[in-house]
């Protein structure tokens, strides 16, 4: 569900000099210093022990085959088995680009990249112990960490900057989409309709394409809302306010269930596209509000100075106001990207097979795993966590860099 | 910059206008009718002081133009309605679109390699085979949820809904046409022995708790029980109530009677439950097609009848080629399209459609055995469900397909 | 901004019409308007065609027909013979109940976890951190699924229910809280409490007027705290002095396999309430932490230098300012709660979205019901943003 990233107050006294203490001294200071702190420590430790006592037996006895035998559905959904090499090859640029970004942006992207590398390495290692994972999949997870490192090495070079990374990312994304979609029936890569795409693949693709679409759309909407042309202003306000008030779930139902009534019978709407549109509609409204905040933060003096220099109105907006506004709102923009990624999970409720939808289909549809729901949902939650945690660390890095003013 | 914007917007507008006009053949029709009446009026008055020949010609030319554009617009079957439109649409598309949920073991679910599997999916393949002679790349499954069924049928973007749809009068009127009943379920009850509920005693349900599948017709049926017996109980509606009932969330569970037995065997303590002999009501399952196209409705039923008749005549996947070559039974020869014709052409089917269906999918019994057989080894994904009421009419069941002529 | 050109300038000599700014503006907007309207028109035509073809009724009058379905655990009395519109409002009431209670529980849990994160105790702040980092980084719906399918299934059967003496029982058929019913002496007790509150208020005024210089038995009277003690004392005496307590407690009892009595929270309600509370609380915790840390350190040091105790600094310097900073983000989280409540569809708690879905399934009136639904969510959103604006204005008037 969309979770608003309402400007969270920033801690102002983060950079405190650390005092050096011995272990006993540290324990004395951090665990037992006033008497009630000892009580709190005891309560905390008991809580941890209780949690572990429940969790460890569960993790050991769990029916993990529910996940491992269905790993293909969870990762790529119903993508035809004989065409799986296309998925593997199509998403290979992604780890490389992650590495590139790491090389270019440095510390900001470090946690994100390292998290992904570690997860890939762990997956590759785990494939050694079970025979359920196909060799192609194991190969992919073995190769991808090296691609990240390769990207990192390239990204450190001078000839590549943030702008180049963004362009490469966008081009490769388009390429991946074409690769997955395929061409004619008889070609080497037959057409695979989007209703056979699924699992983690769809989650990641929707998030990436969504990010590429939502930001420009949000900028246009924010400018329209600020403009003094009554129609554009009114339309933008209506768009933003209606879509911000409506839960994404309701919007998804509207797009997938109700909107076909507005189309002629001969059309067969692409359901994944409809869901994507719903996510974009919802997130662009929030994005527009984030950017509007940035636009308002640009001082009037700048605008007046530019006008005094004889710049045209549209020029002032595009060259003077917008870059500053976007720079001021980068944390909010990254926050919105995280929300967009998490939002993709809701499409499972309208019958689409994203990561969560695949889990749902396994538990309810496959008779053998009717009671394996904790395992499957735990796996799904862990996968979401890996990606979102990485993105959150990027967001934290951006905020830190903006606070310290190094940019 | 604004000038370019204007250009862009105006071209977009023109585009929309074109789309709007082409999609609205009704308006075109009224235009044509208008011109026709003008022409008629002109012709009738031609002898007197009516319009000149030149005027007449111009109206004629306009009429021709309007008719031409009308037929061009009509070619892409924008508004399928009435006899034959659905089949035309399917053939143009080259694919049959079936809707199903992906949460029914044995009926419609997704296997480990991500393929749609189950009885319903086989039926979708059967319809596709009847139309196209093969099903590879000829059918497409669309995942829906149970509660979306009426809206999906209303939107009309799918061809057949292959689901365990319970037929009733209200749904027949508002959802679409139910085809041949393929499973005659009775709504049955299973209850816990450790609860206050006593088997076959409706009054004992008072104050108890019920587990029931959300969004199904079991919910209103249970609602009716309250009034019928003057009792009150609490309802817990879940996507899959089985595990919850097993864990003691409820005192009794309502489901198709044929499935209650197998559920019982799956429970942690099978002896702690009792399946009621009494039935709550009728629960006939059928596939669904949209209202308004009789040809399509008949076509779908023809495929189902062929499969049931094949079982009756012992025509199977394995022996169907042999039957075509050697069978002397006129019924079989006619059904398989070896001789004669019994209406396939009117429905737009090949004469040997039944042969194709049985060759690729099998007869009704083979299909049921694939997902509901007693044999754990050969069964795919489903569970054992005795044929019981679903047996053929001449074997003590209710399954009855009309003969060919 | 006053650079909007007047429409009198539409005809401006010397400038060709296509370079006239006023003209360009007007045309652009007119074209855009026509574009949008024509799209709407195309869609409407399609809808009409489809409706006619399949016999759909698009009238809103249908909402007054019989619902024919139940709204379980409804806050307002409901049965299936009531109208669909009434069912919708029963759903609205259920949503408001869920959101109202969740606002309360979320705030409490969020504050507790936020303070835990601020704690100097390593174990406690570590636990808080793990909680926040885990929940914030998974989607709410995934968490809800995990909680509902994975964990709530672990609740005990009624025969093995967890009993918490005095508070209630927890079982897989619901949470039964000991309910509080009024007795005959409630009115008199309430009168006493109101009088006590009045007295406390007067005392507070008195203390304020004398700037904390009033002493009683050698103890200096405190603003706020002392009147509260007085109120509690009066209320307590009023409770004990009467022959019958103003409230009686109704304990849930096991009858057969079900509990009877007490206040029941159905498992569905409990599930969605827990999911929303736990999830949104992780955001609230971050707001609490951020707000407290946003209070400038210099102020705290200055207050300590003036000789205020740690407790006084916390209650008089830090908390008021932190609360002021936190209010707007908190309202944002309450909006999220409202929208998140639609996820009750996962568990089947009959809030407005679930009722709407049931109604659509029953009657097929998807369009009318979705219009109602969006209007409802707009009203809720508008309400929260009004509260936010009102608060913003109030804070600004305080001369911040």
């Amino acid at each position: 569900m969309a979770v608003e990233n309402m400007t969270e107050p920033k801690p102002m006294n983060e950079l405190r000099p650390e005092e050096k203490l011995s272990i006993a001294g540290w324990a004395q200071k951090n665990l037992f210093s006033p008497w009630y702190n000892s009580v709190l420590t005891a309560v905390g430790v008991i809580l941890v022990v209780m949690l572990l006592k429940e969790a460890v037996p569960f993790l050991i006895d769990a029916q993990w085959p529910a996940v491992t035998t269905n790993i293909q559905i969870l990762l790529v959904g119903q993508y035809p088995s004989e065409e799986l090499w296309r998925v593997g090859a199509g998403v290979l640029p992604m780890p490389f680009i992650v590495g590139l970004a790491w090389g270019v942006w440095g510390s900001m992207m470090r946690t994100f990249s390292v998290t992904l590398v570690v997860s890939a390495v762990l997956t590759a290692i785990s494939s050694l112990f079970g025979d359920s994972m196909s060799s192609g999949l194991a190969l992919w997870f073995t190769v991808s960490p090296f691609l990240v490192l390769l990207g990192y090495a390239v990204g450190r070079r001078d000839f590549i900057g943030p702008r180049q990374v963004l362009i490469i990312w966008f081009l490769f994304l388009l390429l991946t989409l074409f690769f997955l979609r395929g061409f004619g029936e008889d070609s080497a890569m037959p057409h695979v309709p989007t209703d056979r795409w699924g699992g983690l693949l769809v989650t990641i693709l929707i998030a990436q394409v969504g990010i590429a679409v939502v930001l420009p759309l949000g900028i246009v909407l924010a400018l329209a809302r600020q403009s003094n042309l009554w129609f554009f202003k009114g339309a933008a306000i209506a768009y933003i306010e209606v879509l911000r008030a409506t839960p994404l779930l309701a919007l998804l139902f509207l797009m997938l269930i109700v909107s076909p009534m507005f189309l002629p019978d001969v059309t067969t709407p692409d359901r994944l596209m409809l869901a994507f549109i719903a996510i974009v509609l919802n997130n662009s409204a929030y994005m527009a509000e984030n950017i509007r905040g940035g636009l308002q933060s640009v001082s009037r003096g700048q605008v007046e100075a530019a006008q005094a220099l004889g710049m045209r109105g549209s020029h002032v907006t595009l060259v003077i106001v917008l870059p500053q506004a976007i720079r001021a709102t980068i944390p909010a923009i990254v926050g919105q990207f995280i929300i967009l990624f998490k939002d993709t999970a809701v499409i499972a409720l309208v019958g689409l097979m994203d990561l969560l939808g695949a889990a749902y289909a396994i538990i309810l549809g496959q008779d053998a795993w009717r009671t394996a729901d904790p395992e499957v949902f735990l796996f799904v939650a862990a996968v979401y966590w890996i990606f979102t945690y990485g993105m959150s660390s990027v967001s934290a890095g951006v905020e830190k860099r903006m606070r310290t003013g190094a940019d | 910059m604004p000038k370019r914007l204007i250009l862009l917007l105006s071209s977009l507008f023109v585009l929309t206008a074109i789309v709007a006009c082409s999609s609205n053949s009704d308006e075109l029709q009224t235009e044509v009718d208008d011109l026709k009446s003008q022409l008629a009026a002109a012709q009738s008055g031609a002898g007197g002081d009516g319009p000149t020949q030149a005027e007449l010609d111009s109206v004629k030319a306009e009429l021709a133009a309007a008719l031409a554009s009308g037929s061009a617009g009509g070619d892409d079957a924008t508004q399928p309605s009435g006899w034959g439109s659905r089949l035309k649409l399917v053939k143009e598309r080259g694919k049959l679109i079936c809707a199903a949920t992906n949460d029914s073991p044995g009926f419609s679910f997704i296997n480990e390699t991500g393929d749609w599997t189950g009885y319903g999916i086989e039926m979708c393949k059967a319809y596709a085979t009847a139309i196209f002679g093969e099903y590879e790349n000829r059918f497409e499954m669309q995942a829906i949820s149970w509660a979306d069924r009426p809206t999906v049928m209303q939107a009309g973007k799918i061809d057949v809904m292959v689901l365990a749809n319970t037929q009733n009068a209200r749904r027949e009127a508002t959802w679409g046409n139910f085809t041949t009943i393929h499973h005659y379920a009775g709504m049955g009850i299973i209850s816990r022995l450790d609860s206050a509920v006593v088997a076959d005693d409706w009054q004992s349900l008072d104050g108890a708790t019920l587990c029931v599948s959300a969004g199904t017709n079991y919910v209103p049926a249970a609602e009716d029980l309250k009034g019928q017996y003057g009792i009150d109980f609490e309802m817990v509606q879940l996507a899959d109530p089985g595990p919850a009932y097993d864990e003691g969330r409820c005192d009794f569970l309502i489901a198709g009677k044929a499935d209650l037995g197998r559920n019982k065997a799956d429970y942690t303590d099978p002896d702690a439950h009792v399946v009621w002999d009494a039935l709550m009501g009728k629960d006939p399952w059928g596939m669904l097609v949209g209202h308004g196209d009789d040809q399509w409705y008949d076509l779908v039923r023809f495929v189902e009848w062929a499969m049931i008749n094949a079982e009756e005549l012992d025509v199977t996947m394995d022996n169907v080629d042999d039957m075509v070559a050697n069978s002397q039974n006129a019924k079989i020869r006619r059904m398989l399209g070896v001789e004669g014709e019994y209406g396939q052409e009117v429905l737009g089917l090949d004469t040997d459609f039944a042969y194709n269906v049985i060759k690729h999918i099998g007869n009704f019994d083979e299909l049921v055995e694939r997902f509901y057989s007693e044999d754990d080894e050969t069964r795919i994904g489903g569970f054992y469900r005795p044929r019981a009421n679903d047996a053929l009419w001449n074997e003590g069941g209710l399954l009855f397909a009309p003969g060919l002529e | 901004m006053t650079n909007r050109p007047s429409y009198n300038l539409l005809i401006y000599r010397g400038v060709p019409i296509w370079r006239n700014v006023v003209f360009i503006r007007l045309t652009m907007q007119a074209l855009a308007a026509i574009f949008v309207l024509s799209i709407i028109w195309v869609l409407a035509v399609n809808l009409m065609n489809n409706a006619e073809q399949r016999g759909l009724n698009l009238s809103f009058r249908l909402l007054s027909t019989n619902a024919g379905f139940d709204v379980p655990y409804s806050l307002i009395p409901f049965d299936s013979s009531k109208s669909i519109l009434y069912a919708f409002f029963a759903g609205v009431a259920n949503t408001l109940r869920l959101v109202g209670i969740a606002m309360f529980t979320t705030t409490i849990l969020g504050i507790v976890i936020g303070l835990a994160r601020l704690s100097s105790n390593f174990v406690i702040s570590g636990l808080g951190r793990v909680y926040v980092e885990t929940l914030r980084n998974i989607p709410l719906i995934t968490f809800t699924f995990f909680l509902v399918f994975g964990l709530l299934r672990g609740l005990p059967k009624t025969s093995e229910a967890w009993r918490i003496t005095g508070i209630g029982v927890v079982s897989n058929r619901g949470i039964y809280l000991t309910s509080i019913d009024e007795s005959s002496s409630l009115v008199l007790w309430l009168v006493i409490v109101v009088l006590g509150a009045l007295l406390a208020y007067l005392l507070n005024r008195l203390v304020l007027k004398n700037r904390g210089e009033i002493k009683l038995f050698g103890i200096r009277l405190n603003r706020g705290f002392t009147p509260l003690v007085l109120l509690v004392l009066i209320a307590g005496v009023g409770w004990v002095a009467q022959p019958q307590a103003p409230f009686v407690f109704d304990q849930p009892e096991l009858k057969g396999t079900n509990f009877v009595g007490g206040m029941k929270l159905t498992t569905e309600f409990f599930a969605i309430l827990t999911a929303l509370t736990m999830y949104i609380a992780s955001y609230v915790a971050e707001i609490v932490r951020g707000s407290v840390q946003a209070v400038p350190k210099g102020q705290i040091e200055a207050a300590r230098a003036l000789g205020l105790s740690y407790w006084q600094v916390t209650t008089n310097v830090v908390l008021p300012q932190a609360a002021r900073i936190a209010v707007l983000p908190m309202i944002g989280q309450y909006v999220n709660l409202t929208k998140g409540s639609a996820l009750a569809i996962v568990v089947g708690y009959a809030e407005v979205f679930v009722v709407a879905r049931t109604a659509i399934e029953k009657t097929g009136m998807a369009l009318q019901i979705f219009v109602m639904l969006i209007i409802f969510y707009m009203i809720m959103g508008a309400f929260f943003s009004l509260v936010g604006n009102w608060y913003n204005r109030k804070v600004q008037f305080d001369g911040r």
Side-chain angles (χ1 to χ4, degrees), chain C residues 220 222-223 303-304 306-320:
Chain C
R220 203 167 69 183
N222 232 332
R223 167 175 76 101
R304 290 306 293 268
L306 285 175
L308 296 184
S309 72
Y310 175 78
W311 194 242
Q312 279 172 318
V313 173
T314 307
T315 53
N316 292 334
V317 178
V318 179
L319 282 187

Side-chain angles (χ1 to χ4, degrees), chain B residues 112-375:
Chain B
E112 303 86 60
T113 51
D115 296 314
W116 280 92
T117 321
Y119 176 90
I121 283 71
E122 295 294 304
M123 283 312 291
C124 183
K125 287 181 188 169
Y127 305 135
T129 311
I131 297 165
F132 298 110
E134 53 168 4
Y135 61 78
E136 277 301 325
N137 292 323
R138 289 301 192 180
F139 77 102
E140 199 178 296
M141 298 301 304
Q142 191 177 97
I144 59 165
S145 66
W146 291 97
D148 294 336
R149 287 178 291 174
T151 23
V152 168
M153 291 310 294
Q154 282 171 6
K157 301 292 177 284
I158 58 125
D159 304 319
V160 193
M161 186 175 281
V162 284
L163 266 178
N165 295 306
T166 299
Q167 183 181 26
N168 62 37
R170 183 188 185 133
R171 290 178 173 182
E172 185 76 43
T174 55
W175 289 15
N177 286 328
F178 284 81
T179 62
T180 318
I181 303 302
H182 57 77
H183 177 52
Y184 292 89
M187 286 184 223
I189 292 179
I190 189 169
S191 63
R192 299 183 73 90
L193 287 172
D194 64 357
S195 70
V197 176
V198 181
D200 299 317
D201 177 5
W202 300 102
Q203 293 302 325
S204 73
L205 296 177
D206 198 21
T209 310
L210 160 70
C211 276
V212 64
S213 292
T216 62
N217 60 305
Y218 298 136
V219 178
E223 202 64 46
D224 291 346
L225 276 187
K226 293 182 183 171
Q228 192 180 349
Y229 295 104
I231 52 178
D232 193 23
F233 48 81
E234 193 194 325
M235 255 196 265
V236 180
Q237 301 183 29
L238 299 163
D240 182 9
Y245 167 75
D246 188 23
E247 282 155 17
R249 224 9 239 288
C250 322
D251 301 316
F252 67 114
L253 174 109
I254 296 179
K257 176 132 190 224
D259 301 345
L260 288 174
R262 75 106 186 182
N263 282 336
K264 188 176 158 183
D266 282 351
Y267 293 148
T268 28
D269 181 9
D271 298 331
H273 310 270
V274 57
V275 177
W276 288 28
D277 290 328
L279 279 175
M280 265 178 67
K282 298 169 283 192
D283 191 9
W285 295 358
M287 311 297 185
L288 261 173
V289 295
H291 276 147
D293 186 349
D294 288 355
Q295 188 206 33
W296 185 245
Y297 178 47
D298 283 345
L299 187 154
V300 169
R301 287 196 301 168
F302 256 51
V303 176
E304 292 159 350
W305 292 345
M307 292 171 79
I308 297 171
N309 279 329
E311 185 192 347
E312 202 176 316
L313 297 167
D314 286 326
V315 182
T316 65
M317 230 167 159
D318 294 330
N319 72 10
V320 66
D321 284 319
D322 183 46
M323 289 283 188
V324 169
N326 305 322
S327 175
Q328 297 308 310
N329 187 334
K331 279 185 190 168
I332 294 178
R333 292 175 67 80
R334 204 171 304 143
M335 181 180 79
L336 296 176
V338 183
E339 65 184 39
E341 202 265 348
Y342 55 95
Q344 297 102 310
E345 269 169 31
V346 183
L347 296 184
L349 289 165
D350 296 334
T351 27
D352 63 346
F353 85 95
Y355 166 79
N356 287 332
V357 169
I358 293 158
K359 179 74 193 156
H360 289 108
I361 311 295
N363 68 29
F364 185 79
D365 183 55
E366 287 176 290
L367 184 50
V368 171
E369 282 294 299
R370 215 169 290 161
F371 301 100
Y372 298 106
S373 84
E374 203 170 355
D375 184 357

